[in-house]
Amino acid sequence: MDLRALPSVDRLLMQADALVNDHGRAAVTRMLRAELARIRTDRPDPLPDASAILAAASAGLTGQAQSRLRPVLNLTGTVLHTNLGRALLADAAIDAATDAMRAPAALEFDLETGGRGERDSHLRALLCDLTGAEDATVVNNNAAAVLIVLNTLAMRREAIVSRGELIEIGGAFRMPAIMQQAGCTLREVGTTNRTHARDYQDAITAETGLLMKVHTSNYRIEGFTAEVPAAQLATIAHQAGLPMVNDLGSGTLVDLRRWGLSPEPTVAEAVAEGADVVTFSGDKLLGGPQAGFIVGTRDIIARINKNPLKRALRMDKIRIAATEATLRLYRDPDRLAERLPTLRLLSRPLAEIRAQAERLAPQVAAALGCQVRVVDCASQIGSGALPTDTIPSAGLALSPDPDALAARLRAGAMPIIGRIHDGALVLDLRCLPDDAALMRAVA
Ligand SMILES: *Cc1c(COP(=O)(O)O)cnc(C)c1O
């Protein structure tokens, strides 16, 4: 084999007008060099000719041109799927974000005085209105909210938490680790299943910085259990002159029972129970972009805003715009389910989903050439909200060989993500936008 027979990059480029047009000269040149280097290492016999090399480069360039962040159909049954990006935004939020990206915005500019404005002021009034808190601030996500609250209120001091609430959230968010990074010492009290008022009271010393309650959002302790309610914990903290922090995790701004869902603690309730600070996420039940909300007393919010970490954890204008538009939707709860995708998906009627499954089953069977049954499903909220609750749903069970089917559906132009259950690939249709979306994806 004579490697000298290989065409040069320059010669290949002369035949690559179409590729250069699509991908640019620099990318094509890099890909051709890489392709030639690979051939020199692998020494295939016979050596590929110019057109084979160009075809290989073309395939590589097409792969590179595709976004790595591919849109997918979430048919897992988990509505707020962290690995699939959690909440889908409302149209109003998407429009607001787009406007903020296209044009300069009065982000830190006071249009009345012409002087410097405040980045958080856009959200502050809305958050106070919706939660009853005195003041509010926002950071990158709820993990950041917890970090900055602990760091502001309990650096080099102790934070008292029940052993039953030392949660780990997916993605390595562990309460003890966050405490350490925040510079405070975790003081665990009680036992895994039972913590009493006196456990907190006995642990309070001159070293104590705060008392904390953490919503056990992704698990439930059942059986012989006892916890101190938030209102009582606030009283214990205040008697000792200490702040009480309540990390709600998901937290919601409305009573979900109205839409047939189980109740999650609302932020307004947590504020009314006497917490000095409440933290919660923007992209869980609230249905907005990733954000961490901190609401609480004026004094504590002012201290948090002065913490240098605030600058490192601040939100950008795109998400501030989308968050503001999302929060605005909560001013009219009667139309929330219609406008907020998260709530619309969570409250989608079972009969509608089942009818959709019945319609689609024969079409999907014909398109994929496999067996398709309509099955009952149990959707989940996801992202740690109401972990033991499921919502009745319907879907399609595809068989045989669910692993191969799953791989095949993931490989499509619009990957379909389902769940393997009982020897079948189950597609829960709760989050399917419409029939056509599935038929396009299986085509
Ligand atoms: C989800 C969660 C967090 C972390 O929130 P992110 O917005 O994901 O950063 C913190 N605490 C609790 C209790 C949670 O459920």
Side-chain angles (χ1 to χ4, degrees):
M1 176 186 338
D2 189 357
L3 286 173
R4 281 172 307 181
L6 278 175
S8 68
V9 171
D10 287 337
R11 249 205 48 224
L12 289 166
L13 272 173
M14 282 192 282
Q15 300 170 50
D17 284 350
L19 281 183
V20 168
N21 200 32
D22 287 349
H23 303 282
R25 178 166 295 271
V28 175
T29 306
R30 258 198 316 275
M31 184 58 76
L32 288 172
R33 283 212 181 96
E35 198 49 38
L36 289 170
R38 195 183 58 74
I39 294 165
R40 286 194 196 96
T41 315
D42 293 354
R43 296 171 158 270
D45 194 10
L47 283 175
D49 60 10
S51 68
I53 297 171
L54 285 165
S58 170
L61 287 161
T62 305
Q64 282 180 353
Q66 225 175 28
S67 168
R68 301 278 140 159
L69 189 61
R70 296 267 297 281
V72 301
L73 280 184
N74 172 14
L75 303 187
T76 60
T78 300
V79 176
L80 296 168
H81 198 299
T82 296
N83 299 354
L84 300 181
R86 291 195 185 161
L88 304 180
L89 296 203
D91 288 338
I94 295 167
D95 291 345
T98 311
D99 289 346
M101 284 189 273
R102 280 195 207 285
L107 180 65
E108 294 186 8
F109 186 86
D110 187 331
L111 288 171
E112 236 163 74
T113 64
R116 202 192 135 114
E118 240 202 277
R119 176 177 289 253
D120 294 343
S121 62
H122 310 274
L123 300 172
R124 213 171 192 161
L126 265 170
L127 280 166
C128 292
D129 226 33
L130 293 166
T131 65
E134 271 177 31
D135 205 351
T137 189
V138 285
V139 286
N140 183 51
N141 56 14
N142 189 36
V146 173
L147 177 72
I148 195 170
V149 166
L150 291 171
N151 180 263
T152 305
L153 299 179
M155 186 157 74
R156 288 191 284 276
R157 304 182 72 181
E158 290 182 354
I160 303 180
V161 190
S162 160
R163 285 208 167 81
E165 298 175 0
L166 291 174
I167 57 165
E168 172 178 317
I169 312 278
F173 175 94
R174 285 179 155 191
M175 199 45 84
I178 291 283
M179 295 229 169
Q180 196 178 6
Q181 290 299 322
C184 60
T185 307
L186 168 63
R187 182 82 163 80
E188 302 173 36
V189 296
T191 59
T192 306
N193 56 328
R194 289 174 72 81
T195 303
H196 307 282
R198 65 171 183 280
D199 294 326
Y200 289 99
Q201 284 160 333
D202 290 350
I204 294 175
T205 67
E207 300 304 309
T208 308
L210 58 85
L211 269 58
M212 184 170 195
K213 188 154 191 71
V214 185
H215 185 48
T216 56
S217 40
N218 52 5
Y219 64 98
R220 286 277 179 273
I221 296 181
E222 288 176 358
F224 185 54
T225 64
E227 65 171 315
V228 178
Q232 194 184 355
L233 193 59
T235 306
I236 295 171
H238 297 159
Q239 277 165 355
L242 293 167
M244 194 281 255
V245 174
N246 192 347
D247 176 24
L248 281 187
S250 199
T252 168
L253 297 172
V254 285
D255 185 346
L256 296 170
R257 280 174 293 197
R258 178 169 177 176
W259 294 278
L261 299 163
S262 306
E264 265 280 288
T266 68
V267 182
E269 279 161 12
V271 170
E273 283 162 351
D276 300 274
V277 184
V278 180
T279 55
F280 55 105
S281 280
D283 56 350
K284 293 187 181 172
L285 276 173
L286 201 133
Q290 180 184 300
F293 298 109
I294 308 171
V295 302
T297 61
R298 210 165 280 122
D299 162 57
I300 291 179
I301 299 295
R303 283 168 64 193
I304 291 169
N305 281 331
K306 279 198 216 100
N307 187 328
L309 271 181
K310 176 72 200 306
R311 175 64 179 77
L313 302 175
R314 77 179 183 189
M315 276 220 285
D316 66 291
K317 65 169 180 176
I318 303 166
R319 279 190 294 146
I320 288 178
T323 303
E324 188 195 12
T326 306
L327 290 174
R328 252 178 227 300
L329 298 179
Y330 279 88
R331 291 156 60 93
D332 184 3
D334 295 341
R335 302 183 61 187
L336 199 56
E338 192 186 308
R339 293 167 164 177
L340 195 70
T342 299
L343 196 54
R344 185 170 69 226
L345 295 173
L346 287 173
S347 61
R348 227 185 127 196
L350 173 60
E352 181 191 306
I353 305 172
R354 185 166 292 131
Q356 185 174 40
E358 301 283 356
R359 267 197 317 275
L360 285 167
Q363 300 178 47
V364 170
L368 294 176
C370 67
Q371 288 160 33
V372 178
R373 281 177 305 124
V374 174
V375 290
D376 292 333
C377 295
S379 304
Q380 288 192 318
I381 294 182
S383 283
L386 302 169
T388 52
D389 267 51
T390 55
I391 314 171
S393 182
L396 306 175
L398 280 50
S399 59
D401 201 352
D403 291 301
L405 280 165
R408 187 173 152 203
L409 294 188
R410 279 199 311 273
M414 172 65 95
I416 301 171
I417 318 292
R419 200 165 45 83
I420 294 185
H421 180 71
D422 261 353
L425 173 65
V426 176
L427 308 179
D428 182 327
L429 299 189
R430 174 169 296 278
C431 297
L432 182 65
D434 50 57
D435 292 14
L438 182 59
M439 294 322 297
R440 272 196 306 275
V442 295

